[in-house]
Amino acid sequence: EALEEGGANELITSAEEVAATIADSLTRQDRRVGRDLMTKAVGLVAMTRTHLAVAWGRGLVDDETFKKLDDAYAVLSSSLQSFR
């Protein structure tokens, strides 16, 4: 069970880091710094999707929730990449 909690905690921490990085990028007056943070956010989305897939594989997330979240993160990734 500790492993399961660890997987869920990694997923939550990763998702929080995505949100925090995007928020940070949007508050930067220096556009280059903001753009660099958005690029970092793209990588963080990929990491979050990986944590999500691992959680799904461990049975911590049901199929419907996995698909909904993974699809949302895919759209977010595309949006962030076009922001650059």
Side-chain angles (χ1 to χ4, degrees):
E1 184 162 327
L3 284 176
E4 289 180 0
E5 286 181 15
N9 288 339
E10 288 175 350
L11 176 58
I12 292 167
T13 299
S14 181
E16 288 173 341
E17 195 170 347
V18 169
T21 302
I22 292 169
D24 188 16
S25 73
L26 294 173
T27 63
R28 298 297 180 130
Q29 290 183 347
D30 185 335
R31 287 181 170 242
R32 289 173 297 178
V33 173
R35 205 170 37 247
D36 288 346
L37 286 167
M38 282 295 186
T39 300
K40 178 181 176 182
V42 171
L44 292 171
V45 168
M47 183 172 63
T48 301
R49 290 180 77 190
T50 299
H51 287 306
L52 179 61
V54 169
W56 174 70
R58 291 181 177 170
L60 300 175
V61 177
D62 64 51
D63 292 351
E64 183 180 338
T65 301
F66 171 76
K67 179 160 178 31
K68 183 178 178 180
L69 290 174
D70 191 58
D71 288 350
Y73 276 113
V75 169
L76 177 60
S77 181
S78 293
S79 296
L80 292 173
Q81 290 180 56
S82 67
F83 187 82
R84 295 192 244 174

